[in-house]
């Protein structure tokens, strides 16, 4: 079976750092993706990890541990516009066009 | 500009009616996908197509049908057999089989049963 878990909601203060965790149990693993989704809009791509370690991209970083089935998305210097849902997704098949399996998303609220 | 176009943006359906959501892409992508999203939920896969004239069921295909007669087009029909169709529907496509490729989403279609 496939199972991807994320916290349902998180709240953080403007200017702070927040870490959103994702654990997964899938039949295979061929990469983990993070997306940002504002209410009523389509998700937008944030990051991709396939090897263990940290990938940094500006204020956003994503970490992966394949042995633990664990990833996190780190958002630094939070801004009000970062209030959104953050979706963790796994490609669990060998082929690069295997559909992504999504978690339920974490709704982040950034407060002043 | 290249992209994925979904239409209509908003659609109201009466109970017992079939409706079709359009998804067109001019990105020359081979693979296309349909996901459904309910309020406060993640995306669930309905159908996908990795090549023209071929498609596969996803996790929640019951009550839906698709076709892939052209590379650019992957319409989704929500049939009367789908008992709870009110949701946000997202179409996506993928450039090729390169493992690190992300999928590209259309803007989505809101379907409401009235």
């Amino acid at each position: 079976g496939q199972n991807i878990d994320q916290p349902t909601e998180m709240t953080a203060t403007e200017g702070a750092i927040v870490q959103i965790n994702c654990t997964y149990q899938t039949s295979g693993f061929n990469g983990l993706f993070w997306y940002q989704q504002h209410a009523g809009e389509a998700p937008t791509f944030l990051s991709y990890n396939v090897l263990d370690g940290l990938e940094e991209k500006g204020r956003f970083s994503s970490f992966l541990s394949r042995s633990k089935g664990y990833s996190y998305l780190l958002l630094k210097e939070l801004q009000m516009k970062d209030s959104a849902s953050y979706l963790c997704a796994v490609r669990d098949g060998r082929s690069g066009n295997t559909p992504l399996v999504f978690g339920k998303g974490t709704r982040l609220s950034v407060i002043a | 500009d290249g992209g994925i176009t979904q239409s209509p943006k908003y659609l109201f359906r009466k109970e017992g009616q079939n409706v079709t959501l359009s998804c067109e892409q001019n990105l020359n992508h081979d693979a296309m996908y349909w996901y459904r999203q309910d309020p406060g939920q993640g995306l669930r896969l309905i159908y996908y197509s990795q090549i023209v004239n071929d498609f596969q069921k996803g996790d929640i295909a019951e009550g839906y049908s698709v076709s892939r007669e052209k590379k650019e087009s992957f319409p989704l029909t929500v049939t009367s057999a789908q008992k709870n169709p009110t949701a946000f529907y997202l179409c996506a496509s993928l450039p090729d089989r390169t493992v690190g490729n992300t999928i590209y989403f259309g803007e989505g279609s809101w379907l409401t049963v009235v």
Side-chain angles (χ1 to χ4, degrees):
Chain A
Q2 303 164 326
N3 194 39
I4 300 177
D5 286 320
Q6 308 177 232
T8 303
E9 293 186 32
M10 299 183 71
T11 301
T13 305
E14 193 176 15
I17 299 173
V18 70
Q19 178 175 312
I20 302 174
N21 296 325
C22 171
T23 57
Y24 63 90
Q25 292 175 307
T26 53
S27 53
F29 180 81
N30 208 356
L32 186 144
F33 297 77
W34 284 96
Y35 294 87
Q36 180 190 61
Q37 185 180 28
H38 285 99
E41 298 180 7
T44 55
F45 170 72
L46 289 177
S47 69
Y48 166 72
N49 295 71
V50 68
L51 300 176
D52 291 351
L54 188 68
E55 294 283 340
E56 297 187 80
K57 193 183 289 186
R59 294 190 299 116
F60 294 76
S61 303
S62 56
F63 171 83
L64 175 68
S65 168
R66 289 173 295 171
S67 62
K68 295 182 180 178
Y70 168 70
S71 173
Y72 67 73
L73 179 69
L74 194 70
L75 291 75
K76 303 175 186 176
E77 301 169 11
L78 280 172
Q79 302 174 9
M80 300 300 283
K81 68 179 182 179
D82 296 329
S83 293
S85 288
Y86 291 85
L87 308 178
C88 173
V90 172
R91 177 167 284 134
D92 69 348
R94 283 187 176 181
S95 173
N97 60 9
T98 303
L100 297 181
V101 180
F102 285 83
K104 293 187 176 180
T106 299
R107 189 163 61 247
L108 174 66
S109 298
V110 179
I111 59 176
Chain B
D1 283 348
I4 303 173
T5 302
Q6 288 188 239
S7 62
K9 178 73 173 178
Y10 300 97
L11 183 62
F12 296 89
R13 189 194 93 170
K14 293 181 180 178
E15 291 207 24
Q17 276 185 338
N18 292 355
V19 294
T20 297
L21 305 179
S22 170
C23 179
E24 303 278 332
Q25 53 100 357
N26 59 3
L27 301 168
N28 200 33
H29 290 177
D30 285 321
M32 298 185 74
Y33 310 83
W34 274 105
Y35 286 92
R36 167 181 171 147
Q37 187 175 34
D38 293 280
Q41 300 294 313
L43 280 62
R44 292 185 290 167
L45 182 68
I46 306 173
Y47 268 98
Y48 66 103
S49 168
Q50 295 176 322
I51 197 167
V52 176
N53 292 322
D54 184 58
F55 50 82
Q56 309 292 330
K57 290 182 178 180
D59 300 318
I60 56 166
E62 185 175 352
Y64 299 96
S65 65
V66 293
S67 63
R68 187 84 187 278
E69 297 175 0
K70 298 187 299 182
K71 189 175 187 178
E72 303 80 24
S73 179
F74 191 40
L76 174 74
T77 296
V78 185
T79 74
S80 57
Q82 172 48 240
K83 297 306 178 188
N84 186 22
T86 296
F88 186 47
Y89 290 86
L90 285 159
C91 179
S93 69
L94 184 73
D96 56 46
R97 294 187 178 204
T98 303
V99 167
N101 271 330
T102 180
I103 54 177
Y104 291 78
F105 288 96
E107 293 188 347
S109 293
W110 291 92
L111 174 62
T112 303
V113 172
V114 296

